[in-house]
Amino acid sequence: MSSSLDSPTIPNATHTINVGVLGATGTVGQRFITLLSAHPWFKIHVLGASPRSAGKRYGEVVKWKQVLPIPVGVGEMVVRECKVDEGWRDCQIVFSGLDADVAGPIEESFRASDLAVFSNSKNYRRNPHVPLIVPLVNPSHLSIIPQQRLLHTPPLQKGFIVTNANCSTTGYVIPLCALEKAFGPIESVLVTTMQAISGAGYPGVSALDIMDNVIPYISGEEEKIEWETLKILGGIAESDAGVKTFDMHAKHPLRVSASCNRVPVIDGHTECVSVRFKRRPPPSPQQVREAFSAFTPDCQALGAPSAPRRAIVVHEEADRPQPRLDRYFQDGAGVSVGRVRQCQVLDVKFVVLANNVSIGAATSSIINAEIAVLKGIVG
């Protein structure tokens, strides 16, 4: 993992933090394990999977699909069910890579047991009290957690759920955030995605469907992008009664139109983006390039150890970014942008590449947890 600072200390802690992984045998769970095994703060304490895997050694039950081998010691760990017991209660943080069809009640049971859950699943992204966080964009939304705890029945002292965004949303909201920070509100966005097959999980899309082919439909994906963008880039409003809500970018309405395609690439989502600014005249392509290069997310200043040194890498070459060449830069923790140019329909257009299994999934959850530790929300 790349580091923005050299091994920052954990606030209010004198030892490593025990963490657990739900859905540990799945593709996202494996990525969590790969990243966490080398983490300076977090120690893998519990691995959770289905009842048929529980009670067995992790190395016996997992179909390991990562480039690196199973980390030393992890293969010998005994898998537990995804039910709260003493082993799970010894964890300060639980990461969830569960499939959406089972994630909802399991994650809620862990939150209800006063555990901090950082989820890659979609189940709670639309919950009005659960923050949907891309760590390079909107960690300020963690401020709603005290309200989430208070409104839970019964109220919680430590437990909460934080979700990270859909992988395709994550990639392009990072440059959008940089643009709004530099030039003010964006009015309209057109985004066309070319999404890697790993985004469909394992075993994923049939070879007969994807080889020599592009599939111009991914169920529910376009709606996710269009809705999640508003929650992530919007702010938090507070009523006279002190109740906080996500404003969905309502102060400056933002229209998003997404078209999503599955392409025969293993890892790395490529997205073609066009934007129109409220500001007139709009910024020039050169000003946009400079804003991308200058963008510094809060997690870097906080010292989150998994944050990329460069949130947005700007390519000057006419044929970059490319998945095969750019997806693993900084361990996939940042995004790559290129082909920044004037748009004849809107204002400016560009291409962004994000590693969907890193910043688009497990890496986001881990950085979110690091931020929560640094802010004293977990500890």
Side-chain angles (χ1 to χ4, degrees), residues 156-212:
L156 301 170
Q157 295 298 314
K158 298 180 179 180
F160 59 83
I161 294 175
V162 168
T163 62
N164 51 278
N166 181 52
C167 50
S168 52
T169 306
T170 298
Y172 97 119
V173 296
I174 296 169
L176 291 188
C177 177
L179 294 179
E180 289 209 318
K181 184 177 180 179
F183 307 116
I186 294 172
E187 288 187 339
S188 304
V189 180
L190 298 176
V191 55
T192 299
T193 72
M194 292 164 278
Q195 297 180 222
I197 56 177
S198 57
Y202 182 83
V205 184
S206 166
L208 288 175
D209 288 330
I210 197 63
M211 295 301 293
D212 189 35

Side-chain angles (χ1 to χ4, degrees), residues 11-12 15 23-24 52 68 90 113-114 138 141 172 176-177 248 263 268 301 357:
N12 305 317
H15 53 78
R52 67 178 178 272
L68 297 175
D90 288 337
S113 297
D114 234 10
N138 63 324
H141 286 192
Y172 97 119
L176 291 188
C177 177
M248 304 299 290
V263 298
V357 298

Side-chain angles (χ1 to χ4, degrees), residues 230-357:
L230 304 183
K231 185 171 182 178
I232 294 164
L233 293 180
I236 293 180
E238 188 168 348
S239 70
D240 293 340
V243 177
K244 293 182 176 182
T245 56
F246 299 103
D247 69 17
M248 304 299 290
H249 216 277
K251 292 181 180 179
H252 304 283
L254 171 61
R255 296 182 299 168
V256 180
S257 179
S259 300
C260 296
N261 307 273
R262 188 74 71 193
V263 298
V265 170
I266 296 175
D267 291 332
H269 289 352
T270 304
E271 301 173 80
C272 299
V273 185
S274 295
V275 300
R276 176 181 170 85
F277 297 89
K278 181 179 180 181
R279 160 180 162 171
R280 315 312 296 170
S284 68
Q286 181 58 31
Q287 289 175 310
V288 167
R289 291 188 197 95
E290 292 169 357
F292 285 153
S293 296
F295 179 62
T296 303
D298 292 342
C299 60
Q300 290 179 334
L302 284 170
S306 300
R309 291 184 181 276
R310 298 166 65 187
I312 302 173
V313 175
V314 180
H315 293 272
E316 298 296 337
E317 304 94 328
D319 61 351
R320 299 281 286 277
Q322 297 179 26
R324 191 165 61 188
L325 300 179
D326 301 310
R327 60 193 169 200
Y328 297 123
F329 183 64
Q330 302 181 109
D331 287 338
V335 300
S336 295
V337 168
R339 302 210 66 215
V340 182
R341 59 214 192 276
Q342 186 176 0
C343 176
Q344 299 301 321
V345 177
L346 302 182
D347 291 332
V348 175
K349 55 187 177 180
F350 56 90
V351 177
V352 58
L353 171 73
N355 189 319
N356 55 294
V357 298

Side-chain angles (χ1 to χ4, degrees), residues 16-251:
T16 55
I17 295 173
N18 285 340
V19 303
V21 179
L22 296 166
T25 56
T27 304
V28 176
Q30 292 176 31
R31 186 63 178 163
F32 272 125
I33 289 168
T34 300
L35 294 169
L36 291 168
S37 66
H39 199 277
W41 301 352
F42 300 148
K43 177 184 177 182
I44 300 173
H45 184 67
V46 183
L47 300 177
S50 65
R52 67 178 178 272
S53 298
K56 301 176 183 177
R57 291 173 48 253
Y58 182 74
E60 295 177 2
V61 298
V62 68
K63 294 182 178 179
W64 189 257
K65 296 295 178 182
Q66 303 301 301
V67 175
L68 297 175
I70 299 175
V72 175
V74 172
E76 300 303 315
M77 294 181 67
V78 176
V79 176
R80 294 175 180 264
E81 287 193 58
C82 297
K83 296 180 179 179
V84 181
D85 59 18
E86 289 307 314
W88 288 105
R89 289 191 182 95
D90 288 337
C91 296
Q92 291 174 268
I93 292 170
V94 175
F95 294 104
S96 175
L98 291 166
D99 290 337
D101 56 351
V102 298
I106 293 174
E107 291 176 358
E108 169 52 32
S109 70
F110 277 72
R111 175 174 64 174
S113 297
D114 234 10
L115 291 166
V117 179
F118 291 85
S119 174
N120 187 70
S121 301
K122 69 179 182 180
N123 302 66
Y124 290 96
R125 289 174 184 162
R126 289 177 178 257
N127 186 290
H129 307 298
V130 172
L132 174 62
I133 295 182
V134 174
L136 307 185
V137 174
N138 63 324
S140 62
H141 286 192
L142 289 170
S143 64
I144 206 166
I145 286 176
Q147 177 173 291
Q148 181 189 147
R149 289 169 169 163
L150 181 65
L151 295 178
H152 190 274
T153 305
L156 301 170
Q157 295 298 314
K158 298 180 179 180
F160 59 83
I161 294 175
V162 168
T163 62
N164 51 278
N166 181 52
C167 50
S168 52
T169 306
T170 298
Y172 97 119
V173 296
I174 296 169
L176 291 188
C177 177
L179 294 179
E180 289 209 318
K181 184 177 180 179
F183 307 116
I186 294 172
E187 288 187 339
S188 304
V189 180
L190 298 176
V191 55
T192 299
T193 72
M194 292 164 278
Q195 297 180 222
I197 56 177
S198 57
Y202 182 83
V205 184
S206 166
L208 288 175
D209 288 330
I210 197 63
M211 295 301 293
D212 189 35
N213 200 22
V214 171
I215 301 172
Y217 174 72
I218 304 174
S219 179
E221 200 79 356
E222 294 169 358
E223 182 189 10
K224 288 178 191 174
I225 293 175
E226 293 168 357
W227 188 89
E228 290 180 7
T229 300
L230 304 183
K231 185 171 182 178
I232 294 164
L233 293 180
I236 293 180
E238 188 168 348
S239 70
D240 293 340
V243 177
K244 293 182 176 182
T245 56
F246 299 103
D247 69 17
M248 304 299 290
H249 216 277
K251 292 181 180 179

